[in-house]
Amino acid sequence: ETANLTAVITPDTAENKNVIWSSSDTDIATVADGVVTAKTPGVAMIIVQSEDGGYKDFCVVRVASLTPANGAVVDNENGLIYGISSNSADINSYVNTVDDTMTVECDSAVLGTGSVVNIIKDDVIVDSYKIVLFGDVNGDGWYDGQDAITVSCLANGMLTREQVGEAVWMAADCNHDGVIDQLDVDLLNQAGVLLSSVDQTKPTEVLLETSAEYNEYL
């Protein structure tokens, strides 16, 4: 597939608005006049540089190696996989490779938050994703009171997004409302088991309409 990137030179009064495009790995993706062409699965950085002054900007591009299965979500923009059931062990139940020459391996026996999923082709890792299991912030594949301690630290500002990483931060938002607060802590303290039957991919407003389990907790 192809995708278009646009570079804007400021100020408008600049006499030379020409830019130079390049790719960090042309085997993965090439670029010409801002049009990026996918070549093979992996991650490349597309760089644009002003002809005058050498000012640069960049865009990270992932040529996807996976497609989702069984309700999972493959977030190629952030390199994440979510929508996985608790205490699952087989990543191949949730993703498929885009061709049969690749295999998928997880660095953990249990699919928990932060587990790394590697895509391998010809004995080389061509891409990696991290798993997010909403509610499971300690990566053990379950959501319970142990996770509530970390979520409480996040909700009260004792831990930051940068300190815990993007996967843990997403996992801490148990009720999918975009905010980590006491509601998420309460869900883990009081209804960890209940969360196992709540659709991990649905936002709060949808759960209110469709999930009897979620409404029972509320």
Side-chain angles (χ1 to χ4, degrees), residues 138-159:
N138 63 3
D140 65 357
W142 293 97
Y143 15 78
D144 51 30
Q146 294 183 38
D147 300 297
I149 297 172
T150 301
V151 176
S152 179
C153 289
L154 288 167
N156 290 286
M158 290 180 281
L159 287 173

Side-chain angles (χ1 to χ4, degrees), residues 193-211:
V193 176
L194 177 62
L195 277 175
S196 64
S197 55
V198 174
D199 190 334
Q200 294 279 304
T201 66
K202 298 293 191 300
T204 296
E205 57 268 22
V206 175
L207 290 174
L208 288 171
E209 296 178 1
T210 63
S211 174

Side-chain angles (χ1 to χ4, degrees), residues 29 38 43 46 52-53 55 66 71 92 101 104 111 138 141 145 156 163 183 187 189-190 193 196 206 211:
V43 177
I46 303 300
D52 183 9
Y55 297 101
L66 297 178
N92 289 286
T101 65
V104 180
L111 307 181
N138 63 3
N156 290 286
Q163 287 173 317
L183 290 174
L187 267 173
N189 275 327
Q190 302 173 26
V193 176
S196 64
V206 175
S211 174

Side-chain angles (χ1 to χ4, degrees), residues 2-3 31 41 47 76 80 93 122 132 135 150 155 159 171 176 213 216:
T2 62
V31 61
I47 303 161
N76 285 301
L80 302 172
S93 298
D122 299 328
V132 173
T150 301
L159 287 173
H176 312 292
E213 294 87 353
E216 178 186 343

Side-chain angles (χ1 to χ4, degrees), residues 13-61:
T13 54
E15 293 183 4
N16 184 350
K17 294 186 178 182
N18 295 327
V19 295
I20 302 165
W21 294 91
S22 61
S23 169
S24 64
D25 193 331
T26 54
D27 289 336
I28 293 174
T30 60
V31 61
D33 296 325
V35 179
V36 181
T37 302
K39 294 296 185 181
T40 189
V43 177
M45 185 179 295
I46 303 300
I47 303 161
V48 62
Q49 177 175 326
S50 64
E51 198 173 77
D52 183 9
Y55 297 101
K56 294 181 180 180
D57 203 351
F58 68 92
C59 177
V60 177
V61 172

